[in-house]
PDB file of all heavy atoms in Angstrom:
ATOM      1  N   ASN G 215      43.353 -33.836  36.819  1.00 66.00           N
ATOM      2  CA  ASN G 215      44.722 -33.963  37.166  1.00 66.00           C
ATOM      3  C   ASN G 215      45.078 -32.949  38.277  1.00 66.00           C
ATOM      4  O   ASN G 215      44.489 -31.876  38.343  1.00 66.00           O
ATOM      5  CB  ASN G 215      45.602 -33.729  35.977  1.00 66.00           C
ATOM      6  CG  ASN G 215      47.041 -33.912  36.241  1.00 66.00           C
ATOM      7  OD1 ASN G 215      47.717 -33.041  36.746  1.00 66.00           O
ATOM      8  ND2 ASN G 215      47.571 -35.108  35.847  1.00 66.00           N
ATOM      9  N   LEU G 216      46.001 -33.301  39.149  1.00 67.00           N
ATOM     10  CA  LEU G 216      46.427 -32.388  40.224  1.00 67.00           C
ATOM     11  C   LEU G 216      46.774 -31.009  39.671  1.00 67.00           C
ATOM     12  O   LEU G 216      46.430 -29.986  40.281  1.00 67.00           O
ATOM     13  CB  LEU G 216      47.611 -33.014  40.951  1.00 67.00           C
ATOM     14  CG  LEU G 216      48.191 -32.211  42.123  1.00 67.00           C
ATOM     15  CD1 LEU G 216      47.204 -32.065  43.185  1.00 67.00           C
ATOM     16  CD2 LEU G 216      49.435 -32.897  42.621  1.00 67.00           C
ATOM     17  N   PHE G 217      47.446 -30.972  38.532  1.00 63.00           N
ATOM     18  CA  PHE G 217      47.952 -29.705  38.008  1.00 63.00           C
ATOM     19  C   PHE G 217      46.852 -28.932  37.282  1.00 63.00           C
ATOM     20  O   PHE G 217      47.089 -27.806  36.822  1.00 63.00           O
ATOM     21  CB  PHE G 217      49.159 -29.884  37.060  1.00 63.00           C
ATOM     22  CG  PHE G 217      50.371 -30.313  37.826  1.00 63.00           C
ATOM     23  CD1 PHE G 217      50.696 -31.555  38.020  1.00 63.00           C
ATOM     24  CD2 PHE G 217      51.129 -29.292  38.395  1.00 63.00           C
ATOM     25  CE1 PHE G 217      51.857 -31.966  38.778  1.00 63.00           C
ATOM     26  CE2 PHE G 217      52.326 -29.661  39.102  1.00 63.00           C
ATOM     27  CZ  PHE G 217      52.582 -30.948  39.315  1.00 63.00           C
ATOM     28  N   SER G 218      45.629 -29.506  37.256  1.00 65.00           N
ATOM     29  CA  SER G 218      44.549 -28.753  36.659  1.00 65.00           C
ATOM     30  C   SER G 218      43.974 -27.775  37.600  1.00 65.00           C
ATOM     31  O   SER G 218      42.989 -27.049  37.277  1.00 65.00           O
ATOM     32  CB  SER G 218      43.500 -29.731  36.101  1.00 65.00           C
ATOM     33  OG  SER G 218      42.714 -30.291  37.149  1.00 65.00           O
ATOM     34  N   PHE G 219      44.390 -27.815  38.882  1.00 70.00           N
ATOM     35  CA  PHE G 219      43.757 -26.884  39.803  1.00 70.00           C
ATOM     36  C   PHE G 219      44.660 -26.195  40.816  1.00 70.00           C
ATOM     37  O   PHE G 219      44.306 -25.132  41.396  1.00 70.00           O
ATOM     38  CB  PHE G 219      42.643 -27.678  40.583  1.00 70.00           C
ATOM     39  CG  PHE G 219      43.150 -28.394  41.842  1.00 70.00           C
ATOM     40  CD1 PHE G 219      43.106 -27.790  43.053  1.00 70.00           C
ATOM     41  CD2 PHE G 219      43.650 -29.645  41.708  1.00 70.00           C
ATOM     42  CE1 PHE G 219      43.577 -28.424  44.192  1.00 70.00           C
ATOM     43  CE2 PHE G 219      44.158 -30.332  42.835  1.00 70.00           C
ATOM     44  CZ  PHE G 219      44.112 -29.707  44.084  1.00 70.00           C
ATOM     45  N   TYR G 220      45.845 -26.810  41.145  1.00 70.00           N
ATOM     46  CA  TYR G 220      46.544 -26.305  42.326  1.00 70.00           C
ATOM     47  C   TYR G 220      46.975 -24.857  42.170  1.00 70.00           C
ATOM     48  O   TYR G 220      47.023 -24.093  43.176  1.00 70.00           O
ATOM     49  CB  TYR G 220      47.766 -27.215  42.679  1.00 70.00           C
ATOM     50  CG  TYR G 220      49.009 -26.871  41.982  1.00 70.00           C
ATOM     51  CD1 TYR G 220      49.918 -26.012  42.539  1.00 70.00           C
ATOM     52  CD2 TYR G 220      49.305 -27.453  40.683  1.00 70.00           C
ATOM     53  CE1 TYR G 220      51.157 -25.701  41.865  1.00 70.00           C
ATOM     54  CE2 TYR G 220      50.465 -27.136  40.092  1.00 70.00           C
ATOM     55  CZ  TYR G 220      51.373 -26.299  40.643  1.00 70.00           C
ATOM     56  OH  TYR G 220      52.575 -25.991  40.016  1.00 70.00           O
ATOM     57  N   GLU G 221      47.257 -24.355  40.951  1.00 76.00           N
ATOM     58  CA  GLU G 221      47.642 -22.995  40.800  1.00 76.00           C
ATOM     59  C   GLU G 221      46.448 -22.025  40.959  1.00 76.00           C
ATOM     60  O   GLU G 221      46.665 -20.784  41.106  1.00 76.00           O
ATOM     61  CB  GLU G 221      48.289 -22.787  39.424  1.00 76.00           C
ATOM     62  CG  GLU G 221      49.586 -23.485  39.240  1.00 76.00           C
ATOM     63  CD  GLU G 221      50.171 -23.238  37.825  1.00 76.00           C
ATOM     64  OE1 GLU G 221      49.348 -23.228  36.913  1.00 76.00           O
ATOM     65  OE2 GLU G 221      51.392 -23.129  37.701  1.00 76.00           O
ATOM     66  N   LEU G 222      45.246 -22.581  40.946  1.00 84.00           N
ATOM     67  CA  LEU G 222      44.050 -21.733  41.053  1.00 84.00           C
ATOM     68  C   LEU G 222      43.438 -21.681  42.486  1.00 84.00           C
ATOM     69  O   LEU G 222      42.489 -21.017  42.719  1.00 84.00           O
ATOM     70  CB  LEU G 222      42.953 -22.230  40.123  1.00 84.00           C
ATOM     71  CG  LEU G 222      43.399 -22.441  38.656  1.00 84.00           C
ATOM     72  CD1 LEU G 222      42.265 -23.018  37.823  1.00 84.00           C
ATOM     73  CD2 LEU G 222      43.809 -21.098  38.026  1.00 84.00           C
ATOM     74  N   CYS G 223      44.099 -22.423  43.424  1.00 87.00           N
ATOM     75  CA  CYS G 223      43.569 -22.545  44.723  1.00 87.00           C
ATOM     76  C   CYS G 223      44.566 -21.974  45.810  1.00 87.00           C
ATOM     77  O   CYS G 223      45.716 -21.993  45.639  1.00 87.00           O
ATOM     78  CB  CYS G 223      43.242 -23.990  45.068  1.00 87.00           C
ATOM     79  SG  CYS G 223      42.082 -24.746  43.893  1.00 87.00           S
ATOM     80  N   ASN G 224      43.982 -21.563  46.941  1.00 87.00           N
ATOM     81  CA  ASN G 224      44.793 -21.019  48.014  1.00 87.00           C
ATOM     82  C   ASN G 224      44.032 -21.138  49.333  1.00 87.00           C
ATOM     83  O   ASN G 224      43.011 -21.796  49.426  1.00 87.00           O
ATOM     84  CB  ASN G 224      45.224 -19.573  47.698  1.00 87.00           C
ATOM     85  CG  ASN G 224      44.054 -18.710  47.370  1.00 87.00           C
ATOM     86  OD1 ASN G 224      42.942 -18.927  47.805  1.00 87.00           O
ATOM     87  ND2 ASN G 224      44.297 -17.696  46.506  1.00 87.00           N
ATOM     88  N   ASN G 225      44.563 -20.410  50.358  1.00 89.00           N
ATOM     89  CA  ASN G 225      43.947 -20.396  51.687  1.00 89.00           C
ATOM     90  C   ASN G 225      43.765 -21.793  52.280  1.00 89.00           C
ATOM     91  O   ASN G 225      42.710 -22.098  52.784  1.00 89.00           O
ATOM     92  CB  ASN G 225      42.580 -19.658  51.623  1.00 89.00           C
ATOM     93  CG  ASN G 225      42.741 -18.232  51.209  1.00 89.00           C
ATOM     94  OD1 ASN G 225      43.694 -17.550  51.595  1.00 89.00           O
ATOM     95  ND2 ASN G 225      41.731 -17.726  50.411  1.00 89.00           N
ATOM     96  N   TYR G 226      44.825 -22.584  52.177  1.00 90.00           N
ATOM     97  CA  TYR G 226      44.778 -23.928  52.782  1.00 90.00           C
ATOM     98  C   TYR G 226      44.825 -23.871  54.293  1.00 90.00           C
ATOM     99  O   TYR G 226      45.754 -23.223  54.847  1.00 90.00           O
ATOM    100  CB  TYR G 226      45.943 -24.775  52.217  1.00 90.00           C
ATOM    101  CG  TYR G 226      45.853 -25.002  50.747  1.00 90.00           C
ATOM    102  CD1 TYR G 226      46.580 -24.182  49.856  1.00 90.00           C
ATOM    103  CD2 TYR G 226      45.160 -26.050  50.224  1.00 90.00           C
ATOM    104  CE1 TYR G 226      46.540 -24.370  48.485  1.00 90.00           C
ATOM    105  CE2 TYR G 226      45.114 -26.247  48.840  1.00 90.00           C
ATOM    106  CZ  TYR G 226      45.782 -25.421  47.987  1.00 90.00           C
ATOM    107  OH  TYR G 226      45.776 -25.625  46.662  1.00 90.00           O
ATOM    108  N   LYS G 227      43.836 -24.461  54.933  1.00 92.00           N
ATOM    109  CA  LYS G 227      43.848 -24.550  56.450  1.00 92.00           C
ATOM    110  C   LYS G 227      43.750 -25.961  56.829  1.00 92.00           C
ATOM    111  O   LYS G 227      42.773 -26.666  56.537  1.00 92.00           O
ATOM    112  CB  LYS G 227      42.645 -23.735  56.961  1.00 92.00           C
ATOM    113  CG  LYS G 227      42.823 -22.199  56.650  1.00 92.00           C
ATOM    114  CD  LYS G 227      41.657 -21.387  57.191  1.00 92.00           C
ATOM    115  CE  LYS G 227      41.805 -19.948  56.790  1.00 92.00           C
ATOM    116  NZ  LYS G 227      40.689 -19.089  57.339  1.00 92.00           N
ATOM    117  N   TRP G 228      44.764 -26.472  57.595  1.00 93.00           N
ATOM    118  CA  TRP G 228      44.846 -27.824  57.990  1.00 93.00           C
ATOM    119  C   TRP G 228      44.516 -27.990  59.455  1.00 93.00           C
ATOM    120  O   TRP G 228      44.779 -27.075  60.242  1.00 93.00           O
ATOM    121  CB  TRP G 228      46.262 -28.392  57.731  1.00 93.00           C
ATOM    122  CG  TRP G 228      46.620 -28.510  56.271  1.00 93.00           C
ATOM    123  CD1 TRP G 228      47.145 -27.509  55.492  1.00 93.00           C
ATOM    124  CD2 TRP G 228      46.503 -29.650  55.473  1.00 93.00           C
ATOM    125  NE1 TRP G 228      47.336 -27.961  54.192  1.00 93.00           N
ATOM    126  CE2 TRP G 228      46.960 -29.283  54.175  1.00 93.00           C
ATOM    127  CE3 TRP G 228      46.067 -30.956  55.676  1.00 93.00           C
ATOM    128  CZ2 TRP G 228      46.988 -30.211  53.105  1.00 93.00           C
ATOM    129  CZ3 TRP G 228      46.073 -31.857  54.631  1.00 93.00           C
ATOM    130  CH2 TRP G 228      46.550 -31.471  53.380  1.00 93.00           C
ATOM    131  N   ASN G 229      44.030 -29.153  59.808  1.00 94.00           N
ATOM    132  CA  ASN G 229      43.726 -29.398  61.246  1.00 94.00           C
ATOM    133  C   ASN G 229      43.834 -30.919  61.512  1.00 94.00           C
ATOM    134  O   ASN G 229      43.503 -31.800  60.715  1.00 94.00           O
ATOM    135  CB  ASN G 229      42.265 -28.993  61.578  1.00 94.00           C
ATOM    136  CG  ASN G 229      41.940 -29.206  63.050  1.00 94.00           C
ATOM    137  OD1 ASN G 229      42.613 -28.677  63.930  1.00 94.00           O
ATOM    138  ND2 ASN G 229      40.925 -30.014  63.280  1.00 94.00           N
ATOM    139  N   ILE G 230      44.393 -31.264  62.676  1.00 95.00           N
ATOM    140  CA  ILE G 230      44.529 -32.614  63.209  1.00 95.00           C
ATOM    141  C   ILE G 230      43.665 -32.694  64.431  1.00 95.00           C
ATOM    142  O   ILE G 230      43.798 -31.840  65.385  1.00 95.00           O
ATOM    143  CB  ILE G 230      45.949 -33.009  63.549  1.00 95.00           C
ATOM    144  CG1 ILE G 230      46.801 -33.017  62.244  1.00 95.00           C
ATOM    145  CG2 ILE G 230      46.058 -34.363  64.200  1.00 95.00           C
ATOM    146  CD1 ILE G 230      48.288 -33.270  62.481  1.00 95.00           C
ATOM    147  N   GLU G 231      42.772 -33.697  64.564  1.00 95.00           N
ATOM    148  CA  GLU G 231      41.823 -33.783  65.684  1.00 95.00           C
ATOM    149  C   GLU G 231      42.609 -34.027  66.953  1.00 95.00           C
ATOM    150  O   GLU G 231      42.409 -33.387  67.996  1.00 95.00           O
ATOM    151  CB  GLU G 231      40.837 -34.974  65.426  1.00 95.00           C
ATOM    152  CG  GLU G 231      39.830 -34.619  64.359  1.00 95.00           C
ATOM    153  CD  GLU G 231      38.833 -35.743  64.179  1.00 95.00           C
ATOM    154  OE1 GLU G 231      38.963 -36.761  64.855  1.00 95.00           O
ATOM    155  OE2 GLU G 231      37.973 -35.630  63.291  1.00 95.00           O
ATOM    156  N   ASP G 232      43.486 -35.032  66.976  1.00 95.00           N
ATOM    157  CA  ASP G 232      44.250 -35.377  68.161  1.00 95.00           C
ATOM    158  C   ASP G 232      45.736 -35.149  67.883  1.00 95.00           C
ATOM    159  O   ASP G 232      46.404 -35.945  67.247  1.00 95.00           O
ATOM    160  CB  ASP G 232      43.994 -36.815  68.580  1.00 95.00           C
ATOM    161  CG  ASP G 232      44.538 -37.167  69.914  1.00 95.00           C
ATOM    162  OD1 ASP G 232      45.489 -36.468  70.385  1.00 95.00           O
ATOM    163  OD2 ASP G 232      44.059 -38.129  70.530  1.00 95.00           O
ATOM    164  N   LYS G 233      46.256 -34.036  68.364  1.00 93.00           N
ATOM    165  CA  LYS G 233      47.635 -33.670  68.069  1.00 93.00           C
ATOM    166  C   LYS G 233      48.631 -34.480  68.925  1.00 93.00           C
ATOM    167  O   LYS G 233      49.838 -34.311  68.796  1.00 93.00           O
ATOM    168  CB  LYS G 233      47.869 -32.200  68.377  1.00 93.00           C
ATOM    169  CG  LYS G 233      47.048 -31.333  67.385  1.00 93.00           C
ATOM    170  CD  LYS G 233      47.241 -29.828  67.601  1.00 93.00           C
ATOM    171  CE  LYS G 233      46.537 -29.004  66.580  1.00 93.00           C
ATOM    172  NZ  LYS G 233      45.051 -29.292  66.484  1.00 93.00           N
ATOM    173  N   ASP G 234      48.150 -35.376  69.840  1.00 95.00           N
ATOM    174  CA  ASP G 234      49.063 -36.246  70.533  1.00 95.00           C
ATOM    175  C   ASP G 234      49.349 -37.493  69.715  1.00 95.00           C
ATOM    176  O   ASP G 234      50.324 -38.237  70.007  1.00 95.00           O
ATOM    177  CB  ASP G 234      48.413 -36.705  71.833  1.00 95.00           C
ATOM    178  CG  ASP G 234      48.308 -35.589  72.902  1.00 95.00           C
ATOM    179  OD1 ASP G 234      49.157 -34.708  72.829  1.00 95.00           O
ATOM    180  OD2 ASP G 234      47.334 -35.580  73.662  1.00 95.00           O
ATOM    181  N   ILE G 235      48.564 -37.698  68.693  1.00 95.00           N
ATOM    182  CA  ILE G 235      48.785 -38.881  67.805  1.00 95.00           C
ATOM    183  C   ILE G 235      49.576 -38.506  66.554  1.00 95.00           C
ATOM    184  O   ILE G 235      50.535 -39.258  66.120  1.00 95.00           O
ATOM    185  CB  ILE G 235      47.430 -39.492  67.417  1.00 95.00           C
ATOM    186  CG1 ILE G 235      46.754 -40.030  68.665  1.00 95.00           C
ATOM    187  CG2 ILE G 235      47.610 -40.658  66.351  1.00 95.00           C
ATOM    188  CD1 ILE G 235      45.296 -40.585  68.353  1.00 95.00           C
ATOM    189  N   LEU G 236      49.261 -37.390  65.949  1.00 95.00           N
ATOM    190  CA  LEU G 236      49.909 -36.893  64.737  1.00 95.00           C
ATOM    191  C   LEU G 236      50.289 -35.465  64.894  1.00 95.00           C
ATOM    192  O   LEU G 236      49.677 -34.720  65.645  1.00 95.00           O
ATOM    193  CB  LEU G 236      48.937 -37.049  63.493  1.00 95.00           C
ATOM    194  CG  LEU G 236      48.774 -38.441  62.889  1.00 95.00           C
ATOM    195  CD1 LEU G 236      47.643 -38.389  61.781  1.00 95.00           C
ATOM    196  CD2 LEU G 236      50.021 -38.989  62.273  1.00 95.00           C
ATOM    197  N   THR G 237      51.314 -35.048  64.077  1.00 94.00           N
ATOM    198  CA  THR G 237      51.674 -33.638  64.027  1.00 94.00           C
ATOM    199  C   THR G 237      52.134 -33.351  62.599  1.00 94.00           C
ATOM    200  O   THR G 237      52.486 -34.258  61.856  1.00 94.00           O
ATOM    201  CB  THR G 237      52.817 -33.311  65.035  1.00 94.00           C
ATOM    202  OG1 THR G 237      52.988 -31.921  65.078  1.00 94.00           O
ATOM    203  CG2 THR G 237      54.124 -33.968  64.667  1.00 94.00           C
TER     204      THR G 237
END
Side-chain angles (χ1 to χ4, degrees):
N215 184 279
L216 179 64
F217 287 94
S218 75
F219 86 93
Y220 87 92
E221 291 179 324
L222 307 176
C223 303
N224 51 32
N225 298 323
Y226 296 94
K227 296 181 180 179
W228 292 85
N229 182 60
I230 296 175
E231 289 180 1
D232 191 337
K233 295 179 176 58
D234 291 330
I235 297 176
L236 283 173
T237 189

